[in-house]
Amino acid sequence: MAAPLLLGAGALAAPRATADTALSSAFSVTGQNPTIINRAEWGADESMRRGAPFYDKGIRAGIVHHTATTNDYAPTDSAGTVRSIYDYHTRTLGWGDIAYNALVDKYGQVFEGRYGGMTRAVQGTHTGGFNQNTWAVAMIGNFDEMAPTPAQLRAVGLLFGWRLAMDDIDPKGSVQLTSEGGPYTRFAQGETPTLATIFAHRDVGPTACPGGLGYGCLDRIRDTAAHFDKPASSADLADSMRGTAIYTRWQAMGGMAGALGAPTSPETPGAGSARYVTFDKGAMYWSPSTGAAPVTGAIYDAWATLGFERGALGLPTSGEIQEPQWIGQNFQHGTLNVDRGSGLVTRVMDGIPVTLPPPSPDGPPVQLERFSPARNRV
């Protein structure tokens, strides 16, 4: 069964972004419940929706779709795309609501789809003849000539794993479904094809959806779904970073064998637009204005006691600077310098040096977000 959901519990939860900001995805590795951008957060106009949701008795299979929209979009564009699809399905096609149960963009952001509850068996209008007892996820983009991104595939697989586990469905199994018939399926009413428990729209309908290159990723989606509740390994965490500035800088430093060692967390939002990953021997922080910079050793410990990026120094803007008598590192609002002889750390801000007390024997504090169970919520 799926792990229990934590619905916003805990006073240390990081604030959520509004619909058109760069929304974070904390659903990039195994062992986590999803952070889902709900309808209010992506800006659903509920006055457009018609009728109450219809609930099936349970979910027996998941169906993969694509939206056939552009692949060229920024993280901040995705909520608007979801709103446009909602408008088209509701006002133009007359379906009363958005067709899919969930949508996932190329950055791994997960959006709530059809109204009625992500943990309930809400019947959609996504797959002609096979809307009953199925749960549909649409990948935002067109995958006829371009493959889905690793982040997108990972999020889709983990999302299916999370949702299908609620109904004890094996993501790599098979199921016999009864066709409802109609003009949008190749199976007449009453036919009972045997299908994979995660199948594609094209498997039952006269369509190319989810595109040739999307269809070729189904086994990867199934494999990810089958392992969604397994603790993430360092390899899983490394894979979840691929394509990011933090990953590129970490690889340039030697990756697993480098100064930071193996990752110990997925990429996580920090203060403002900052993001970070923790490693065995430190951390890497990134923001649009500072780029990706590592922090390790005594400088990392001292910076942590000062409040990480929320402290007076702000984010790191360089790596360590090696000098004969000291090791330094630049931050947005000053520097930290370690005396090679004494090991003492000096903070310099506005030209004023202040020697910091030795670190606590209990070690440095842990980032706020590491204590935030509310991040795993719907």
Side-chain angles (χ1 to χ4, degrees):
M1 294 294 290
L5 296 173
L6 299 171
L7 301 177
L12 295 177
R16 291 297 300 274
T18 53
D20 292 314
T21 57
L23 294 156
S24 66
S25 171
F27 197 28
S28 57
V29 295
T30 59
Q32 294 183 332
N33 285 333
T35 294
I36 296 172
I37 300 162
N38 65 38
R39 290 173 65 96
E41 288 170 322
W42 59 255
D45 178 357
E46 299 296 0
S47 68
M48 288 167 49
R49 180 171 50 81
R50 297 193 310 278
F54 182 84
Y55 295 103
D56 291 319
K57 292 182 179 180
I59 298 301
R60 301 184 63 204
I63 307 177
V64 181
H65 291 253
H66 72 167
T67 60
T69 51
T70 180
N71 298 311
D72 183 15
Y73 57 88
T76 51
D77 297 332
S78 299
T81 298
V82 175
R83 289 195 298 271
S84 295
I85 294 168
Y86 174 48
D87 183 272
Y88 177 67
H89 287 184
T90 305
R91 289 178 166 165
T92 303
L93 298 181
W95 291 345
D97 197 355
I98 196 166
Y100 316 112
N101 299 97
L103 302 92
V104 177
D105 74 4
K106 69 179 184 180
Y107 303 98
Q109 297 182 127
V110 179
F111 295 83
E112 179 182 10
R114 201 169 188 88
Y115 180 85
M118 294 287 282
T119 63
R120 303 186 66 184
V122 179
Q123 187 177 122
T125 51
H126 43 77
T127 310
F130 293 87
N131 288 308
Q132 292 180 7
N133 305 115
T134 58
W135 204 78
V137 176
M139 299 185 290
I140 298 176
N142 188 325
F143 305 111
D144 287 320
E145 298 180 357
M146 179 179 292
T149 66
Q152 190 167 38
L153 292 172
R154 193 162 47 245
V156 170
L158 293 172
L159 185 62
F160 272 127
W162 168 77
R163 184 60 190 84
L164 293 180
M166 294 179 191
D167 290 85
D168 291 322
I169 302 300
D170 177 4
K172 300 182 78 171
S174 61
V175 62
Q176 196 172 62
L177 297 177
T178 301
S179 174
E180 304 144 41
Y184 302 110
T185 179
R186 293 183 282 103
F187 294 94
Q189 184 176 9
E191 285 192 67
T192 56
T194 298
L195 300 158
T197 50
I198 297 177
F199 65 93
H201 189 185
R202 67 160 63 180
D203 289 327
V204 294
T207 175
C209 180
L213 295 179
Y215 190 76
C217 296
L218 257 64
D219 280 341
R220 182 171 175 179
I221 290 171
R222 294 176 186 123
D223 286 342
T224 302
H227 294 88
F228 98 98
D229 58 351
K230 304 296 188 295
S233 67
S234 57
D236 292 331
L237 292 166
D239 187 56
S240 76
M241 293 190 295
R242 289 182 186 276
T244 68
I246 289 177
Y247 180 82
T248 300
R249 183 71 185 273
W250 175 65
Q251 286 289 86
M253 293 175 62
M256 296 282 191
L260 285 170
T264 58
S265 80
E267 186 173 301
T268 303
S273 59
R275 301 183 71 83
Y276 71 93
V277 175
T278 59
F279 296 84
D280 282 333
K281 303 172 186 177
M284 182 89 75
Y285 280 73
W286 172 90
S287 79
S289 60
T290 61
V295 278
T296 60
I299 288 178
Y300 182 34
D301 292 348
W303 183 60
T305 65
L306 296 172
F308 296 96
E309 79 278 14
R310 293 178 172 85
L313 284 171
L315 288 162
T317 58
S318 75
E320 290 186 348
I321 300 166
Q322 305 294 327
E323 296 290 344
Q325 302 299 319
W326 48 269
I327 303 168
Q329 185 160 3
N330 297 322
F331 293 81
Q332 286 175 307
H333 308 300
T335 64
L336 288 174
N337 304 292
V338 182
D339 186 287
R340 290 186 184 271
S342 67
L344 292 175
V345 180
T346 300
R347 183 193 70 187
V348 181
M349 294 182 65
D350 299 322
I352 302 172
V354 176
T355 300
L356 302 178
S360 167
D362 296 328
V366 178
Q367 271 282 31
L368 175 72
E369 291 83 2
R370 300 269 71 80
F371 291 115
S372 299
R375 291 191 57 75
N376 292 337
R377 68 177 191 174
V378 294

